[in-house]
Amino acid sequence: MLEFDYIIIGGGSGGCTVASRLSEDPNISVCLLEAGGEGKNAVIRMPAGVAAILPTPILNWHYKPIKQKGINGRQGYQPRGKTLGGSSAINAMLYLRGNQADYDEWRDLGNPGWGWKEVLPFFKKSEANSRGGDRLHGGDGPLSVVDPIAPHKISGAFIDAARENQIPLNTDFNGKSQEGIGLYQVTQKNGERCSAAAAYIHPHMDRPNLVVITNTMVEKIVFIDGRATGVRFKTKGRPTKIFKCTHEVVLAAGAFNTPQLLKLSGIGPEDELRTHGIEVVVDAPEVGENLQDHIDYTAAYKSLKKDTFGLSFKVTGDIIKGIFDWRNKRHGKLTTTFAEAGAFVKSSPDINRPDLQYHFVVGIVDDHNRKLHLGHGYSCHVCVLRPKSRGNVRL
């Protein structure tokens, strides 16, 4: 039975970062367990591959919540990354922090250390911004942040239209002010997606004190006398194993799988655990509760202009050319994030920070691209940044 100082469950944004930072100390042994693969294939590395990943169960947990009364009985959709890099390997690569006031609010709610002044040094430490480091940005961190390589003309038209409607231009949503309209900076490096795995794990896979095991499902955390002492897991095609842990088991499985794993391990609401025949280690009624997510409305329009993505002979030709451009030069049409431009706005002048976000997309997006339409067009997501509704994660 292998033994490690730290075992990290989940190779997403949090897990990759923690595993990389801990293993910088050669005297500490670290094991990172991930349910998906290594996150190195071309569809992940090519930025435009997001269009193929989001609507499918490839590299994606593809979760479907129960039908929601608040949206007329419709069923939502929750894409979540199933690979090293987690959801940073399947998202639109937009580099965005929260509003500065959000962090101060977390601190004021009783979370010391989470105020804006406390978290800013960590943002800077992680960031390698192509514009260079300054008071608000890092210039030499592991996460590459760049301006978009080849934005579409229609993204510029969207920005111009917003400015005509008195929305100010903002060239840095992570700068002094979040409010305004502009192009998003993206987490890319040399025309490739820079996921958390690409930034924190792939360059360090040869560290002798770091063991990364992919295609592995953790079944439960092992407890002895109320202390986490290891994990039980199953790797594809192999028998169940247990690894021992001498220091800490770190849960980094995301908003859905972390509470799920806690409950499977006996930490959660006692009544729910007993219903499923799970021995209660800690009766913790709050586990799985207070789930929050942004509600998002997408307006989509067809267009006669063909400087967009869509289903047509022209786009097929553009994509074939784009594949060669990306393969040979890491440039061209397939470096797009699709959501190239956007804005942060206030629904009322009386509030102290933006409460709505726009993502302007250079194609028709319908139900996370699961419903396709012939022809060309564009879309705009309108997202509520601080929703009031609350949900839960149940076994």
Side-chain angles (χ1 to χ4, degrees), residues 81-93:
K82 188 180 181 182
T83 180
L84 278 181
S87 294
S88 77
I90 72 167
N91 66 6
M93 296 155 278

Side-chain angles (χ1 to χ4, degrees), residues 6 8 10-26 28 30-32 84 125 141-143 196-205 207 209-212:
Y6 293 89
I8 299 160
S13 296
C16 286
T17 307
V18 171
S20 179
R21 296 284 287 115
L22 284 173
S23 62
E24 288 176 7
D25 183 344
I28 290 176
V30 179
C31 178
L32 176 63
L84 278 181
K125 186 181 181 72
L143 184 68
Y200 285 96
I201 290 296
H202 293 159
H204 308 300
M205 297 280 274
R207 286 178 180 168
N209 62 328
L210 173 63
V211 174
V212 179

Side-chain angles (χ1 to χ4, degrees), residues 9 56 116 165 196 224 278 305 315 317 345:
I9 303 170
T56 69
W116 171 245
N165 282 274
I224 297 178
I278 297 171
K305 297 277 187 181
V315 167
V345 299

Side-chain angles (χ1 to χ4, degrees), residues 98-212:
N99 189 281
Q100 296 180 18
D102 292 342
Y103 300 100
D104 289 339
E105 186 174 75
W106 292 358
R107 177 200 61 207
D108 296 341
L109 286 169
N111 298 283
W114 281 96
W116 171 245
K117 289 183 180 179
E118 288 83 13
V119 301
L120 176 59
F122 296 99
F123 282 126
K124 293 176 65 176
K125 186 181 181 72
S126 70
E127 181 185 5
N129 200 302
S130 61
R131 300 178 185 177
D134 58 26
R135 187 176 66 84
L136 294 173
H137 292 284
D140 56 3
L143 184 68
S144 176
V145 177
V146 300
D147 294 311
I149 292 175
H152 288 68
K153 289 182 180 179
I154 194 171
S155 296
F158 175 72
I159 293 170
D160 292 341
R163 295 182 70 184
E164 289 178 7
N165 282 274
Q166 290 77 53
I167 298 177
L169 180 66
N170 189 340
T171 58
D172 183 6
F173 293 121
N174 302 299
K176 291 181 181 179
S177 174
Q178 187 185 59
E179 190 172 8
I181 181 89
L183 293 173
Y184 289 117
Q185 282 200 296
V186 296
T187 52
Q188 294 180 10
K189 186 175 183 178
N190 300 325
E192 294 190 9
R193 174 191 293 273
C194 186
S195 68
Y200 285 96
I201 290 296
H202 293 159
H204 308 300
M205 297 280 274
D206 58 349
R207 286 178 180 168
N209 62 328
L210 173 63
V211 174
V212 179

